[in-house]
Amino acid sequence: MQIEFELNGATVGTSVEARTSLADCLRDNLGKTGTHLGCEHGVCGACTVLVNGEAVRACLMLAVQANGDKVVTVEGLSSDNLSPLQASFRKHHALQCGFCTPGFITTAHALLTAEPDADEERIRDVLSGNLCRCTGYVPIIEAVLDARKFYAVQKEKA
Amino acid sequence: MKPSAFEYASPATLEEAVSLLHAGNGNAKIISGGQSLMPMMAFRLAVPEFLVDLKHIPDLNIIRIADDGVHLGARVRWCDIAGDARLLTAHPLLAEAITHVAHYQIRNRGTVGGSLAHADPSAEMPGVALTCDALLTIIGSSGTRIEKASAFFTGPLQTTLEADEILTELHLPAWPTARRWAFKEFARRKGDFAMAGVALFYDLDGNGRAENAHIGAIGVSDCPIRLGAAEAALNGNVVDDNTIAAVAAAARAEIDPPSDIHAPAAYRRALVGTLLARGLTQSAG
């Protein structure tokens, strides 16, 4: 099936089977390999992308269901330098092997964009949908808490 | 971990969706959020030949609050319910139960209709529907019917939905403001399926005694269930420590929960008693 959607700000078209997940479409058809596939049944959160501004699991959505939507992958969060959130992850050593990192970044980005004043409890609650097997989560929480100030400024400007 | 091949359509009307299901002759399924169906298809536990997406059908995403209660369209998502402040007073039990449903990303896609049609015995929405005597609107090729939640759930992942029927609305009856209630569940990780959970409400008569007790449980049977003996132990009594102990004991005695990888039966039995006691204590406070 032929589909078309906005990917990281640019319109893209591609042909997929109906059974192709959005995650596979992004990786295989469109080269956005920052979207990682871990469990492929909605448990680990590594494949999280933004669809119309909301964080969703790309493995639990069909590519055809994204037809006409606005999709943002981790590649779409910065152009050349690291985004403030990504820089915060580096500063706080909030990743080790890095496999889960795109899912954490996209999830945290969606949360802080909507709720720049999210407290630690809210951040922990939201990030509990993502699995990491390396860092033990504490540095990840610290990185997200530290990045809030950048999102608060963004929201004020908006 | 990939679904088998299928055809896909995204019709613009309910009538068209029903006729597509009818033409699918038992091999077509509805998809909306897909948060239950997609994992089942990835595991090939579900192998539909045709998927009918509700995405473009209008008005299914509406939360309507009327004199006769709360009406939730089938495509209303968990995040829609959580974000609707009216429900904190219009149906506080629903609002509380929703805080336990799934994780952030899944809440942005998962839907009321999907959860009810999927009928997971541990899911919150079927438990709330059953406990609250909800009515379900179902549209099929032979017309529209209204089903009581108590008749709808027939087994694990089983309902009375025919292959060419679509669940379009959940109606939760009106909620008196003075009603006492609680929703409690326990899961290893918040947002995961509960090992067990309870939903309860009752009203107080002129003498401060409980009446109209409704107590439901999830994760302890093939379907969400009502705990009739526990309700009987609550009705007509002041909600004090003695009553709470009696209700919890009645609940433990009347359930026959399964053992699985998450918890043995004895643990679930004890857990239901504990959750009920906590819920009743909270509701009485």
Side-chain angles (χ1 to χ4, degrees):
Chain A
M1 301 177 77
Q2 190 64 27
I3 59 171
E4 189 176 286
F5 56 87
E6 188 184 306
L7 176 60
N8 299 335
T11 302
V12 294
T14 185
S15 179
V16 291
E17 281 188 72
R19 65 171 170 167
T20 306
S21 73
L22 177 59
D24 283 337
C25 173
L26 291 169
R27 289 179 60 84
D28 300 341
N29 295 43
L30 302 167
K32 298 303 180 206
T33 51
T35 301
H36 289 179
L37 277 163
C39 70
E40 296 192 56
H41 65 279
V43 172
C44 77
C47 67
T48 304
V49 299
L50 309 182
V51 175
N52 301 330
E54 295 173 328
V56 305
R57 299 203 194 292
C59 74
L60 291 190
M61 185 168 171
L62 297 169
V64 291
Q65 291 184 293
N67 196 20
D69 287 346
K70 290 182 178 170
V71 179
V72 175
T73 66
V74 71
E75 290 95 339
L77 298 185
S78 65
S79 44
D80 36 330
N81 290 318
L82 295 179
S83 73
L85 182 61
Q86 289 168 319
S88 188
F89 266 62
R90 180 166 72 179
K91 174 182 163 193
H92 289 275
H93 308 286
L95 69 155
Q96 203 164 305
C97 86
F99 189 84
C100 69
T101 308
F104 272 103
I105 298 268
T106 48
T107 303
H109 176 78
L111 171 66
L112 293 183
T113 300
E115 305 171 38
D117 55 347
D119 61 9
E120 182 174 343
E121 187 185 348
R122 175 68 175 153
I123 291 169
R124 283 179 176 274
D125 185 12
V126 168
L127 295 186
S128 72
N130 291 65
L131 297 181
C132 164
R133 299 282 76 137
C134 300
T135 73
Y137 302 101
V138 171
I140 296 174
I141 306 287
E142 288 171 350
V144 176
L145 279 167
D146 196 18
R148 288 182 304 180
K149 52 184 178 279
F150 298 104
Y151 287 86
V153 170
Q154 288 295 322
K155 190 144 192 171
E156 254 174 46
K157 279 185 196 164
Chain B
M1 300 301 285
K2 306 291 183 194
S4 57
F6 53 80
E7 300 286 313
Y8 169 91
S10 179
T13 66
L14 267 179
E15 294 70 26
E16 201 183 331
V18 167
S19 68
L20 285 168
L21 285 180
H22 192 69
N25 200 20
N27 295 311
K29 277 192 87 69
I30 292 289
I31 188 166
S32 185
Q35 304 299 285
S36 299
L37 183 59
M38 288 285 285
M40 289 190 74
M41 286 166 46
F43 284 117
R44 305 219 175 178
L45 295 169
V47 191
E49 294 174 4
F50 203 112
L51 284 189
V52 180
D53 195 343
L54 299 184
K55 177 176 179 175
H56 291 116
I57 296 176
D59 301 336
L60 290 181
N61 59 344
I62 291 173
I63 300 175
R64 187 164 61 88
I65 296 171
D67 288 344
D68 68 348
V70 173
H71 298 258
L72 301 172
R75 226 175 59 223
V76 168
R77 303 171 301 167
W78 310 127
C79 62
D80 299 327
I81 296 174
D84 194 327
R86 297 175 302 166
L87 291 170
L88 294 172
T89 46
H91 208 292
L93 176 62
L94 169 69
E96 172 67 21
I98 290 310
T99 66
H100 296 274
V101 178
H103 297 285
Y104 187 64
Q105 301 96 334
I106 293 193
R107 295 162 66 84
N108 286 331
R109 294 281 299 164
T111 65
V112 169
S115 175
L116 293 169
H118 183 59
D120 190 297
S122 298
E124 290 83 2
M125 203 69 220
V128 169
L130 179 76
T131 305
C132 296
D133 291 330
L135 298 172
L136 311 175
T137 304
I138 294 163
I139 292 180
S141 49
S142 52
T144 301
R145 65 188 176 95
I146 308 282
E147 176 105 288
K148 289 180 177 173
S150 55
F152 181 71
F153 304 106
T154 55
L157 312 185
Q158 289 168 11
T159 70
T160 62
L161 271 182
E162 298 289 343
D164 62 353
E165 287 185 323
I166 301 173
L167 176 61
T168 58
E169 186 183 276
L170 172 74
H171 171 206
L172 296 163
W175 189 269
T177 48
R179 180 164 278 173
R180 306 299 180 106
W181 62 274
F183 184 93
K184 297 281 176 190
E185 71 167 47
F186 183 74
R188 282 192 194 276
R189 177 172 66 144
K190 182 169 175 287
D192 284 357
F193 277 118
M195 288 183 203
V198 299
L200 68 92
F201 70 83
Y202 55 91
D203 299 312
L204 293 179
D205 67 14
N207 298 314
R209 296 174 188 277
E211 61 180 10
N212 188 32
H214 283 58
I215 301 178
I218 58 173
V220 299
S221 185
D222 288 347
C223 304
I225 53 170
R226 285 280 290 273
L227 305 181
E231 290 171 354
L234 180 55
N235 277 328
N237 291 305
V238 172
V239 185
D240 57 15
D241 288 349
N242 286 338
T243 300
I244 290 171
V247 172
R252 285 195 301 268
E254 74 176 302
I255 60 173
D256 183 19
S259 288
D260 59 24
I261 190 172
H262 304 295
Y267 181 85
R268 282 201 165 85
R269 192 185 301 278
L271 181 57
V272 165
T274 301
L275 293 173
L276 260 185
R278 287 180 186 168
L280 285 167
T281 303
Q282 182 185 313
S283 72

